[in-house]
């Protein structure tokens, strides 16, 4: 797991052992990120990209030809883009999609943030993105959200039922949340992303 | 193919003159235009470290060394000659070439002559243009603005900038784009050519283990630079001549006379 929230490390708060905090603004940090992944292409990586790094990251990604190099190393790259309600967000998605050559582009829409501010135009523009897949994240209640945002919580423990003593309503809501997401996965789940 | 001499010079050190020469040699090699180079940073030589096989260190004040360049233009196996002029010696080098008739010979078409003048981000650097303006009439003159170290060029008003070019309507401008500092440093330390670095080869041509990120930065820089060099008529002519030479059918071997 690569956390680009330098120096704070939001994701590292949830996954202290699995995460590395990277300063993407430094060449050294870029080398730690891109070079280390290519050194071990047999592993899976998740890069949590801060919004303010989006342009920088994909500019480097494009400049150094990472898309192609990852493919040559036998890796699949999938970009999950979390869409906001604004047209600017859709335009950013369209631009980003155009910059990717062999990577999968997955659009993620979060019910919690609500519909587009300009719904008709927004849906019309959305078609231009040409996404490989779309995932809808159902909205969680405020209480459930508080619960899952606690650093001591993780979904793995919850699914493995290692987390005991949850109120029934909360447990039900989290199961529904996960099932809604999983039901949107094509057969073969995560592997299908990279088997084109 | 007519011989071509390209001088790369600056009247000030540290403006990226040798980087420009290296980039140019790299460009010519990638375009299959073999070249030889003369490094006048004697006695140590900077360019020679990167191109040891094709570079000779010379003293431009020595008549014998002047002859090495000029008297061999027609006989040399390669027709493109790059001369990396010692920092601070641009005006005096041009004066030397003028006195021995090189500039005049080029104006009469005996060979193609170009000067790539690398300028730094200062008015003093631009003043050099005026100092050499008499020498460069009738030769291919290129101003190379070096952004490699992210210098902010010519932020003064356009009128001031244009003033320096008023007497040089045929001058061409190119930009040497910025290259990531760490990438530049790594290529420098490795003593490799830019293309070699991109291909992950060390100075001897053996496999290396350079960072993919840094190689990527250099690859992008080379690609941007190709775009700049491709504007230059001198290099366009070279490319054309090189292609024509390659396409020319070889003379058939003469048949033995019948007895």
């Amino acid at each position: 797991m690569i956390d680009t929230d330098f120096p704070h490390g939001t994701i590292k708060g949830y996954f202290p052992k699995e995460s590395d905090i990277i300063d993407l603004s430094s060449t050294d940090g870029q080398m730690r990120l891109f070079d280390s992944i290519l050194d071990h292409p047999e592993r899976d990586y998740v890069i949590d990209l801060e919004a303010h790094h989006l342009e920088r990251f994909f500019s480097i990604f494009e400049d150094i030809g990472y898309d192609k190099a990852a493919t040559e190393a036998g890796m699949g790259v999938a970009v999950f883009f979390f869409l906001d309600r604004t047209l600017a967000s859709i335009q950013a998605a369209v631009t980003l999609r155009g910059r990717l050559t062999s990577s999968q582009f997955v659009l993620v829409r979060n019910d919690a943030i609500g519909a587009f501010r300009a719904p008709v135009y927004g849906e019309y523009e959305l078609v231009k993105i040409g996404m490989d897949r779309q995932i809808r994240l159902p909205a969680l209640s405020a209480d459930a959200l508080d619960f899952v945002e606690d650093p001591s919580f993780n979904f793995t423990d919850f699914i493995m039922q290692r987390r005991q003593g949850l109120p029934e309503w909360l447990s039900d809501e989290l199961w529904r949340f996960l099932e809604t997401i999983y039901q949107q996965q094509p057969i073969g789940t995560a592997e299908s992303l990279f088997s084109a | 193919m007519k011989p071509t001499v390209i001088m790369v010079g600056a009247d000030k050190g540290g403006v990226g003159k040798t980087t420009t020469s290296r980039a140019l040699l790299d460009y010519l090699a990638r375009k299959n235009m073999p070249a030889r180079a003369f490094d006048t940073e004697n006695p140590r030589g900077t360019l020679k470290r990167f191109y040891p096989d094709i570079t000779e260190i010379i003293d431009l004040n020595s008549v014998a060394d002047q002859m090495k360049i000029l008297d061999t233009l027609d006989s040399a196996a390669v027709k493109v000659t790059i001369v990396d002029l010692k920092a601070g010696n641009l005006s005096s080098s041009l004066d030397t070439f003028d006195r021995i008739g090189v500039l005049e010979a080029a104006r009469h078409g005996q060979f193609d002559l170009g000067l790539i003048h690398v300028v730094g981000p200062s008015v003093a650097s631009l003043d050099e243009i005026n100092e050499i303006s008499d020498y460069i009439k009738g030769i291919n003159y290129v101003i190379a603005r070096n952004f490699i170290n992210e210098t902010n060029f010519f932020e003064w008003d356009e009128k001031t900038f244009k003033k320096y070019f008023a007497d040089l309507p045929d001058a061409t401008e190119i930009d040497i784009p910025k290259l990531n500092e760490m990438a530049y440093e790594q290529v420098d330390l490795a003593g490799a050519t830019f293309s070699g670095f991109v291909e992950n080869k060390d100075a001897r041509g053996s496999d290396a283990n350079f960072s993919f990120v840094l190689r990527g930065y250099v690859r992008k820089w080379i690609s941007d630079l190709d775009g700049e060099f491709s504007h230059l008529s001198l290099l366009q002519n070279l490319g054309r001549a090189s292609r024509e030479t390659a396409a020319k059918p070889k003379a058939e071997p003469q048949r033995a006379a019948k007895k």
Side-chain angles (χ1 to χ4, degrees):
Chain A
M1 191 88 77
I2 292 159
D3 186 348
T4 62
D5 180 21
F6 175 85
H8 311 291
T10 311
I11 291 294
K12 196 168 176 66
Y14 292 98
F15 299 95
K17 288 180 190 162
E18 297 88 345
S19 303
D20 270 337
I21 303 174
I22 295 281
D23 177 9
L24 206 55
S25 64
S26 78
T27 308
D28 194 47
Q30 294 159 18
M31 288 162 68
R32 275 182 60 206
L33 191 158
F34 292 112
D35 285 342
S36 62
I37 292 177
L38 280 185
D39 284 346
H40 296 284
E42 73 284 358
R43 295 183 193 158
D44 295 324
Y45 300 86
V46 174
I47 302 171
D48 185 69
L49 202 54
E50 290 285 293
H52 66 275
H53 280 319
L54 191 74
E55 175 53 38
R56 184 201 299 273
F57 180 89
F58 283 103
S59 172
I60 299 166
F61 190 85
E62 192 175 40
D63 283 356
I64 66 175
Y66 206 77
D67 225 2
K68 190 167 169 248
T71 306
E72 284 170 3
M75 300 183 79
V77 179
V79 177
F80 286 71
F81 185 90
F82 284 69
L83 201 65
D84 199 359
R85 300 172 63 197
T86 61
L87 287 177
S89 182
I90 298 178
Q91 279 150 7
V94 173
T95 306
L96 178 56
R97 182 72 186 96
R99 292 169 82 166
L100 301 173
T101 50
S102 50
S103 301
Q104 295 249 3
F105 187 79
V106 180
L107 197 70
V108 185
R109 297 180 70 175
N110 186 355
D111 283 356
I113 63 166
F116 290 129
R117 289 193 179 132
V120 176
Y121 191 66
E123 294 295 342
Y124 172 76
E125 287 290 292
L126 203 59
V127 178
K128 291 184 187 169
I129 296 174
M131 71 208 87
D132 297 297
R133 282 182 51 210
Q134 189 174 176
I135 293 176
R136 188 178 67 81
L137 289 185
L140 284 171
S141 68
D143 287 341
L145 200 59
D146 277 350
F147 191 81
V148 299
E149 284 193 342
D150 189 297
S152 66
F153 175 84
N154 71 66
F155 281 105
T156 306
D157 282 350
F158 174 73
I159 292 167
M160 302 297 284
Q161 300 188 331
R162 290 193 289 246
R163 184 86 190 216
Q164 301 297 319
L166 289 185
E168 198 172 328
W169 67 266
L170 180 60
S171 183
D172 286 350
E173 185 174 348
L174 292 180
W175 277 119
R176 276 200 306 277
F177 174 79
L178 291 173
E179 278 170 3
T180 308
I181 296 170
Y182 287 176
Q183 279 164 9
Q184 297 172 65
Q185 301 273 7
I187 296 164
T189 62
E191 288 79 13
S192 68
L193 271 175
F194 305 116
S195 58
Chain B
M1 183 175 162
K2 197 196 275 189
T4 299
V5 179
I6 303 175
M7 301 178 286
V8 182
D11 253 343
K12 185 176 168 293
V15 294
K17 174 183 60 65
T18 302
T19 304
T20 306
S21 295
R22 286 164 56 196
L24 181 61
L25 282 169
D26 206 74
Y27 174 86
L28 293 169
R30 273 181 284 113
K31 302 291 176 189
N32 293 318
M33 292 186 259
R36 61 180 186 157
F38 290 96
D39 183 349
T40 67
E41 293 280 356
N42 68 306
R44 202 162 54 95
T46 313
L47 189 62
K48 190 170 174 64
R49 190 160 78 83
F50 300 95
Y51 290 92
D53 298 338
I54 59 167
T55 306
E56 190 172 347
I57 299 173
I58 57 161
D59 176 2
L60 209 52
N61 292 317
S62 144
V63 174
D65 282 353
Q66 292 166 10
M67 289 164 67
K68 275 184 189 168
I69 308 176
L70 303 164
D71 290 353
T72 56
L73 288 179
D74 285 313
S75 59
V78 291
K79 295 297 173 201
V80 185
T81 302
I82 305 297
V83 185
D84 186 60
L85 300 174
K86 195 172 189 168
N89 278 15
L90 176 60
S91 305
S92 61
S93 301
L94 287 172
D95 190 57
T96 301
F97 281 138
D98 193 34
R99 277 188 286 110
I100 60 178
V102 175
L103 304 184
E104 199 56 28
R107 285 178 194 123
H108 283 99
Q110 288 182 28
F111 55 89
D112 287 331
L113 180 64
L115 168 65
I116 298 183
H117 183 181
V118 186
V119 292
S122 66
V123 173
S125 192
L126 284 180
D127 281 337
E128 295 167 8
I129 297 170
N130 287 339
E131 287 169 25
I132 61 167
S133 59
D134 284 342
Y135 298 114
I136 58 179
K137 279 172 188 149
I139 68 167
N140 278 282
Y141 178 62
V142 179
I143 297 272
R145 296 186 292 181
N146 185 19
F147 287 85
I148 197 159
N149 302 323
E150 207 175 28
T151 40
N152 295 314
F153 267 84
F154 309 120
E155 285 188 344
W156 51 77
D157 66 273
E158 193 69 3
K159 209 192 294 178
T160 309
F161 173 52
K162 290 292 176 200
K163 176 176 82 131
Y164 288 90
F165 293 91
D167 297 331
L168 304 165
D170 298 328
T172 315
E173 294 166 45
I174 58 166
D175 290 339
I176 308 294
K178 177 182 163 45
L179 174 61
N180 176 283
E181 277 171 36
M182 200 181 277
Y184 181 79
E185 193 179 281
Q186 283 295 307
V187 182
D188 205 43
L189 281 173
T193 63
F194 293 114
S195 289
F197 187 81
V198 169
E199 288 157 16
N200 213 7
K201 301 284 183 194
D202 66 15
R204 292 183 198 144
S206 307
D207 288 342
N209 192 24
F210 301 129
S211 154
F212 180 83
V213 172
L214 299 185
R215 288 192 289 127
Y217 275 123
V218 177
R219 186 188 303 117
K220 173 73 166 52
W221 181 76
I222 280 177
S223 159
D224 291 345
L225 200 53
D226 276 7
E228 294 292 321
F229 281 143
S230 66
H231 295 147
L232 301 180
S233 58
L234 190 67
L235 297 181
Q236 287 167 355
N237 294 343
L238 265 179
R240 218 169 4 250
S242 176
R243 282 191 297 276
E244 281 167 12
T245 306
K248 200 181 274 182
K250 286 180 183 158
E252 283 185 24
Q254 285 185 342
R255 289 181 187 173
K258 283 182 183 173
K259 286 184 182 172

